[in-house]
């Protein structure tokens, strides 16, 4: 047998020439397979391309019956070719017919060939087709021949990806690359976004596949690896990577991989076979990805992801640029698609152009998700495979209501969504028209409508939504998206900025509510069995008085001369409030001693989230200037259902008798003590439950910005007095078990109230 060690180089050189020639696609493919067959001393060389209907169609062959081209086909997973595509792995067989998956296609005349070597045509881990060589004699293809064929397959992958083969694809059919895909994930942000894919970590498209000078490419690889290792060492030695933190663990893994001999050897081998350094990285990366997609062990997957990230970094080193889309190329309606990303990275995008976010990972509590929600864009997380399946500028729909991502949607689906979006826009316009209308119920009750916020990106919503102020400012969000603890000056500057942007409208700052599911990376407490019932919020603040005092100080200074309204989360006993107030008093005294200006007015409040407070209502109200019900937590603790556990969180109705009776007690205590009571949980964001609140006697609520319009539309049509009579009677009636939710729905329908 001929020595093939020089083979791949010669072959790739010939292929490069063929790619450059002005040929029709079929002609080019035919010549490519002939060239490969010749070079590999094979009697047969065939290319199968995967269509969007899951069929692998013979696109070109040397050696099999030419009449079978575009006729012979196999389903994904069927036959040897289908097996290779489905597994994204090569098959090297000395006697193909004895393989259990072998399927005989009579039109090809392939029965006389015994040995068979097939490799997947891969791009970013996806199989786009299969490349096969066959020989009559029984033989085993050597490792270097497998390697050579895999390298050659990259050239074909490029041809498929550039869309060149579309011209020779049968009318009405499409290649898999442009197949519509629907991915089911988790909804982390409601709404619908239509637009075009922007890959957060842009794939460096390697167009220069074949090398001219192996030594030069090896040298380039060595240099890029060197810089990569230095940059990782740099990151590791930076002060802000805490010694214990997860960042460090990830970087340590990167460092280990960057020195991994096996990986480097594979890269060098691919260059020796004729690829450029970039193409070599892409090849090895594609194989890793193909393997990664099928891994189920989460730990191994994570490690493979690390390898993938590292390969991306290396590609960027080699190509010398980040290949981020330039501002001019950035679509007006961008949907950012990422495996995972940092919150700050999302904020780097032009905000008005980003219409949605798709993450392969992420959780409701991920920082990037918090920021995306604050920006008001739909988010779908846990969207498996999204990055590999998407190409920059593909059409895409993010359905945050239904937790789905539609990639390259079919025309009718696209139209249906466009209609949905138009409908929403019309409704939004109707709500906007209500922006300056005074929130008076039909029977003349003045309702205060405020919104919840936590980041600067939230603040533009204040005027857009027509909210009267911010009823809940979650200060922990600033802490959650930072990589290190925000310093006193940073906190102060942040609050000052909030005050400036809200331009005189009231803001209720809530002190730090960390712990529980609100994780702050640089503030690690011991693992807790029940974090929701653990060391969190005011408990943590009182145990770390320095933290709380710093925050008080920042708030006092930022609101000097204006009104400071603050409240404390998760209060269980009135005594906790007293301790917090003492700390606040110390800060006030300190400020005045220093001759610094104090706020013109101070309002000190408590969140009512822990049921124990229900039996201290009068003491509580004597202690504070106002009370704000955190219905999310109060419901969780009252009903003993974890708010983050979808299996139980909706098990009991928030509009059921027990919870409404609790809320009624709170309203009555407020009236009795002349203490303003408001509610700032999700309950206020839904028109039907907001209507129930007004029926119970609440006159102030705070909700997500998008809810202000719908809630206002509801209350303008509501006779709160009549609903109050109805609700009081229903709650007093201990014999009836009729649903209060139904009663509310019927009331709204009978009175034309939009809920
Ligand atoms: C609540 O618990 O209802 C609340 C508003 O606070 P958070 O959702 O931030 O816990
Ligand atoms: Mg809460």
């Amino acid at each position: 047998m001929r020595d093939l060690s020089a083979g791949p180089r010669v072959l790739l050189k010939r292929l490069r020439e063929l790619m450059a020639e002005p040929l029709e696609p079929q002609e080019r493919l035919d010549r490519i397979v002939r060239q490969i067959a010749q070079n590999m001393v094979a009697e047969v060389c065939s290319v199968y391309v995967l269509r969007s209907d899951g069929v692998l169609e013979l696109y070109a062959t040397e050696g099999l019956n030419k009449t079978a081209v575009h006729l012979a086909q196999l389903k994904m997973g069927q036959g040897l070719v289908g097996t290779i595509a489905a597994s994204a792995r090569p098959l090297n067989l000395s006697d193909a017919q004895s393989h259990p998956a072998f399927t005989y296609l009579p039109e090809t005349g392939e029965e006389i060939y015994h040995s068979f070597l097939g490799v997947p045509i891969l791009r970013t881990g996806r199989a786009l087709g299969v490349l096969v060589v066959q020989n009559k004699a029984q033989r085993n293809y050597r490792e270097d021949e497998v390697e050579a064929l895999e390298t050659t397959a990259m050239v074909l992958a490029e041809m498929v990806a550039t869309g060149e083969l579309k011209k020779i694809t049968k009318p009405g059919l499409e290649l898999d690359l442009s197949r519509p895909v629907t991915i089911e994930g988790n909804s982390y942000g409601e709404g619908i976004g239509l637009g075009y894919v922007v890959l957060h970590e842009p794939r460096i498209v390697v167009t220069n596949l074949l090398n001219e000078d192996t030594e030069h490419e090896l040298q380039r690889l060595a240099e890029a690896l060197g810089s990569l290792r230095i940059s990782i060492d740099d990151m590791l030695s930076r002060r802000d990577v805490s010694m214990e933190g997860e960042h460090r663990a990830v970087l340590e893994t990167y460092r280990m991989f960057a020195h991994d001999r096996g990986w480097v050897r594979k890269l060098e081998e691919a260059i020796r076979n004729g690829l450029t350094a970039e193409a070599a990285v892409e090849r090895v990366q594609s194989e890793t990805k193909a393997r990664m997609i099928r891994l189920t062990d989460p730990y191994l997957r994570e490690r493979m992801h690390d390898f993938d990230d590292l390969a991306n970094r290396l590609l960027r080193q080699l190509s010398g640029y980040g290949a981020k889309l330039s501002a001019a190329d950035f679509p007006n309606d961008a949907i950012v698609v990422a495996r995972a990303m940092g919150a700050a990275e999302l904020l780097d995008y032009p905000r008005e152009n980003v219409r949605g976010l798709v993450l392969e990972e992420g959780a409701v509590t991920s920082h990037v998700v918090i920021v995306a929600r604050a920006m008001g864009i739909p988010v779908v997380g846990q969207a498996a495979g999204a990055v590999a399946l998407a190409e920059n500028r593909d059409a895409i729909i993010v359905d945050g209501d239904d937790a789905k991502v539609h990639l390259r949607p079919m025309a009718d689906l696209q139209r249906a969504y466009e209609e949905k979006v138009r409908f929403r826009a019309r409704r939004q316009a109707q709500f906007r028209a209500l922006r300056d209308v005074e929130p008076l119920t039909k029977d003349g009750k003045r309702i205060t409508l405020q919104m919840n916020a936590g980041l600067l990106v939230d603040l533009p919503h204040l005027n857009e939504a027509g909210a009267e102020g911010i009823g809940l400012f979650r200060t922990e969000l600033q802490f959650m998206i930072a990589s290190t603890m925000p310093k006193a000056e940073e906190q102060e500057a942040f609050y000052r900025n909030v005050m400036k942007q809200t331009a005189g409208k009231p803001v209720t700052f809530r002190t730090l509510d960390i712990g529980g599911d609100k994780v702050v990376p640089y503030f690690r407490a011991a693992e807790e069995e029940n974090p929701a019932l653990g060391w969190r919020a005011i408990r943590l603040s009182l145990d770390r008085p320095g933290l709380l005092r710093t925050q008080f100080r920042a708030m006092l200074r930022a609101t000097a001369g204006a009104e400071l309204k603050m409240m404390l989360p998760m209060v269980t006993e009135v005594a906790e409030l007293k301790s917090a107030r003492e700390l606040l008093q110390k800060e006030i005294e300190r400020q005045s001693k220093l001759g610094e200006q104090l706020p013109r007015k101070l309002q000190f409040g408590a969140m009512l989230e822990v049921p124990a407070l229900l039996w201290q209502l009068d003491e509580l109200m004597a202690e504070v200037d106002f009370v704000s019900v955190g219905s999310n937590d109060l419901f969780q603790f009252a009903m003993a259902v974890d708010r983050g556990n979808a299996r139980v969180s909706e098990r009991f109705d928030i509009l059921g008798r027990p919870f409404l009776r609790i809320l009624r007690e709170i309203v009555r205590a407020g009236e009795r003590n002349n203490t303003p009571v408001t509610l700032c949980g999700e309950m206020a964001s839904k028109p039907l439950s907001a209507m129930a609140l007004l029926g119970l006697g609440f006159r102030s609520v705070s909700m997500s910005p998008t809810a202000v319009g719908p809630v206002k539309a509801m209350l303008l049509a509501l006779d709160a007095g009549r609903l109050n009579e109805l609700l009081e009677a229903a709650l007093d009636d201990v014999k009836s078990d009729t649903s209060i939710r139904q009663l509310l729905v019927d009331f709204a329908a009978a009175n034309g109230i939009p809920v």
Side-chain angles (χ1 to χ4, degrees):
M1 206 189 340
R2 214 173 78 181
D3 173 25
L4 285 178
S5 57
R9 292 202 53 79
V10 177
L11 173 59
L12 286 174
K13 185 163 178 295
R14 275 299 297 140
L15 292 184
R16 183 170 52 207
E17 287 159 11
L18 277 176
M19 294 295 279
E21 272 183 55
L23 295 172
E24 283 300 309
Q26 188 66 53
E27 175 70 14
R28 196 190 314 280
L29 263 189
D30 290 346
R31 292 226 217 153
I32 287 177
V33 290
R34 199 174 313 144
Q35 196 66 53
I36 299 174
Q38 241 175 42
N39 188 273
M40 298 204 51
V41 206
E43 279 111 24
V44 173
C45 176
S46 317
V47 174
Y48 296 81
V49 180
L50 183 60
R51 299 191 321 221
S52 61
D53 55 357
V55 167
L56 288 142
E57 177 182 315
L58 181 66
Y59 261 62
T61 185
E62 173 70 14
L64 298 184
N65 289 340
K66 287 259 192 262
T67 50
V69 171
H70 295 300
L71 287 178
Q73 45 189 13
L74 285 154
K75 286 228 166 65
M76 192 74 162
Q78 186 195 14
L80 300 178
V81 167
T83 305
I84 295 166
S87 65
R89 292 210 147 154
L91 264 185
N92 180 359
L93 307 168
S94 58
D95 183 17
Q97 275 109 339
S98 64
H99 191 281
F102 181 80
T103 307
Y104 173 53
L105 297 179
E107 65 273 30
T108 61
E110 66 176 335
E111 66 279 16
I112 51 174
Y113 302 102
H114 286 285
S115 28
F116 174 106
L117 169 62
V119 298
I121 298 172
L122 289 178
R123 186 177 161 86
T124 60
R126 286 174 72 187
L128 303 181
V130 174
L131 173 63
V132 176
V133 290
Q134 289 171 278
N135 280 82
K136 279 192 187 134
Q138 285 206 4
R139 56 166 294 207
N140 259 317
Y141 298 92
R142 292 193 317 266
E143 256 317 296
D144 58 329
E145 290 174 293
V146 180
E147 173 77 31
L149 199 63
E150 286 184 312
T151 305
T152 314
M154 280 188 73
V155 177
L156 290 163
E158 195 53 36
M159 240 186 122
V160 180
T162 54
E164 195 181 340
L165 299 187
K166 275 196 192 121
K167 277 198 210 155
I168 51 170
T169 299
K170 275 181 253 167
L173 289 173
E174 269 193 275
L175 294 187
D176 187 62
L177 191 80
S178 38
R179 169 171 56 104
V181 186
T182 294
I183 306 171
E184 299 213 9
N186 292 342
S187 170
Y188 293 150
E190 288 170 11
I192 290 170
L194 260 70
Y196 297 92
V197 170
V198 169
L199 289 169
H200 174 58
E201 297 246 279
R203 209 167 286 143
I204 308 260
V205 182
V206 182
T207 44
N208 187 11
L209 292 174
L210 313 170
N211 83 43
E212 310 256 1
D213 176 351
T214 303
E215 285 315 310
H216 176 66
E217 292 301 315
L218 286 171
Q219 181 66 27
R220 286 183 63 227
L221 176 70
E223 280 166 16
L225 274 168
S227 324
L228 181 71
R229 288 169 188 153
I230 292 173
S231 73
I232 295 172
D233 288 344
D234 268 3
M235 284 190 272
L236 272 165
S237 60
R238 275 217 308 264
R239 261 188 325 117
D240 55 352
V241 180
S242 77
M243 289 309 281
E244 312 286 321
E246 287 185 332
H247 289 95
R248 188 170 187 91
V250 169
L251 286 174
E252 293 280 10
T253 324
Y254 279 5
R255 173 152 67 182
M256 196 181 80
F257 286 154
H259 289 271
D260 183 292
R261 275 311 302 162
W263 189 54
V264 177
R265 208 174 308 118
K266 267 199 206 152
L267 294 172
E268 288 170 349
E269 204 169 272
I271 293 178
R272 288 211 177 83
N273 279 330
L275 292 183
T276 56
E278 290 92 332
V281 176
E282 191 179 88
R283 232 212 77 181
V284 174
Q285 182 187 24
S286 212
E287 278 169 24
T288 318
K289 269 201 172 143
R291 243 178 296 153
M292 188 161 75
I293 288 166
R294 283 184 306 279
L295 278 178
T296 46
D297 179 329
Y299 178 78
L300 284 182
R301 272 184 79 107
E302 202 45 50
R303 296 287 76 79
M304 288 288 208
H305 273 315
D306 288 345
F307 245 130
D308 194 41
D309 283 349
L310 197 68
N312 278 331
R313 277 168 194 264
L314 190 55
L315 271 180
R316 282 198 284 274
Q317 287 277 359
L318 280 165
S319 54
Y321 68 113
K324 286 244 183 247
L325 286 181
S326 68
D329 283 345
F330 198 86
N332 283 334
D333 32 15
I335 308 281
V336 178
V337 179
R339 179 168 78 78
M341 70 195 283
E345 292 174 296
L346 180 61
L347 290 166
D348 277 347
Y349 285 104
R351 190 184 155 207
E352 55 291 351
N353 291 6
V354 178
R355 301 288 152 87
L357 176 66
V358 176
L359 298 171
E360 288 195 352
E361 301 181 352
V364 204
T365 49
S366 312
H367 304 167
V368 63
V369 171
I370 295 169
V371 170
R373 287 164 70 109
M375 287 166 71
I377 58 173
V379 188
V380 171
Q382 297 294 331
V387 173
L389 289 165
E391 297 276 343
N392 261 332
R393 293 197 184 74
D394 274 351
I396 183 172
I397 299 170
V398 187
D399 184 343
D401 296 346
D402 227 8
K404 285 198 179 82
V405 178
H406 303 283
L407 202 53
R408 301 176 289 269
M410 306 255 253
D412 48 354
L413 189 72
Q414 176 87 20
R415 270 195 300 275
Y417 269 103
E418 280 166 5
E419 186 46 46
K420 224 169 167 171
V421 167
R422 265 197 297 275
F423 177 74
R424 277 171 174 252
R426 271 199 300 275
R427 286 196 47 179
Q428 285 302 328
Q430 287 163 4
F431 294 140
R432 258 199 309 280
L434 296 179
R435 199 170 57 183
D436 301 320
V437 175
E438 198 183 6
L440 280 179
T441 61
K442 239 169 95 181
D443 54 338
K445 306 273 178 346
R446 176 67 166 82
I447 311 296
T448 304
L449 297 182
Q450 301 200 83
M451 66 166 233
N452 301 342
L455 292 171
L456 294 176
V457 288
D458 284 316
L459 301 180
H461 299 310
L462 188 59
N463 284 330
E464 284 160 24
E468 287 178 64
I470 295 180
L472 164 65
F473 195 94
R474 296 179 160 107
T475 62
E476 63 276 8
L477 297 196
Q478 187 203 9
F479 285 70
M480 287 165 71
I481 64 168
S483 56
T484 53
M485 176 83 81
K487 297 194 186 69
E489 310 80 70
E490 284 167 338
Q491 294 180 39
E492 184 187 328
F494 181 72
Y495 303 143
R496 210 180 273 287
N497 208 339
V498 173
M499 294 301 284
K500 188 169 149 224
Q501 296 205 33
T502 46
K505 288 190 174 178
V507 181
T508 308
F509 289 103
R510 171 173 78 183
T511 62
L512 275 189
D513 186 13
I514 52 177
D517 62 343
K518 294 175 179 161
V519 192
V520 176
Y522 43 85
F523 196 91
R524 269 175 181 251
E527 280 280 303
E528 292 183 306
E529 188 111 355
N530 289 304
L533 306 179
W535 193 54
R536 53 176 294 199
I538 191 174
R539 303 169 184 183
L540 187 150
S541 298
L542 289 176
D543 291 357
R544 292 274 182 280
L547 202 68
L548 190 57
R549 281 185 68 167
T550 305
Q551 197 179 23
F552 282 154
R553 190 178 311 167
M555 285 178 181
L556 287 167
R557 295 172 70 141
T559 56
E563 178 177 326
L564 169 58
K565 213 171 165 187
M566 65 161 78
M567 60 185 181
L568 287 114
M570 289 290 297
V571 178
T572 310
E573 289 185 336
V574 177
E576 291 171 311
L577 279 171
K578 292 191 173 148
S579 307
R581 208 197 257 279
E582 277 165 25
L583 291 175
L584 176 63
Q585 200 49 43
K586 280 189 188 151
E587 280 310 313
I588 293 174
E589 280 157 21
R590 181 180 172 277
Q591 296 277 98
S592 19
K593 256 196 217 129
L594 290 172
E596 288 185 26
Q597 195 187 9
L598 287 166
R600 176 173 49 78
K601 185 175 172 200
L602 180 95
Q603 289 206 60
F604 186 80
M607 286 196 75
L608 206 167
E609 302 181 283
V610 180
L613 270 191
L614 297 170
W615 288 271
Q616 307 165 68
L617 285 173
D618 294 325
E619 296 96 310
L620 171 73
M621 294 197 182
E623 186 61 35
V624 295
D625 301 309
F626 67 96
V627 167
S628 183
V629 179
S631 56
N632 306 337
D633 276 316
L634 187 59
F635 186 71
Q636 141 164 292
F637 296 127
M639 313 305 277
V641 283
D642 179 351
R643 64 191 262 192
N645 179 349
R647 245 183 126 161
V648 293
S649 58
E650 313 249 308
R651 190 178 181 96
F652 305 111
D653 192 355
I654 198 158
L655 295 177
R657 281 184 173 72
F659 198 61
L660 293 186
R661 284 186 182 140
I662 290 177
L663 295 175
R664 181 167 70 164
E665 284 314 308
I666 300 169
V667 173
R668 286 177 177 170
E671 285 164 1
R672 198 162 63 229
N673 291 280
N674 219 355
T675 303
V677 171
T678 180
L679 184 143
C680 62
E682 285 308 303
M683 197 179 177
S685 293
K686 303 210 172 68
L688 186 72
S689 47
M691 184 180 87
L693 293 173
L694 304 189
L696 287 172
F698 279 91
R699 292 295 170 258
S700 163
V701 273
S702 188
M703 63 204 86
S704 52
T706 48
V708 177
V711 169
K712 195 189 267 187
M714 174 277 292
L715 75 86
L716 291 174
L718 171 71
D719 184 333
R722 267 192 57 212
L723 177 61
N724 179 258
E725 283 165 25
L726 207 71
L727 262 182
E728 290 282 357
L731 291 177
D732 285 339
D733 185 353
V734 291
K735 298 241 166 56
S736 163
D737 57 359
T738 54
S739 148
I740 297 209
R741 176 176 290 274
Q742 195 54 50
L743 183 140
L744 291 164
V745 169
D746 293 345
F747 179 82
N751 294 284
I753 302 169
V755 288

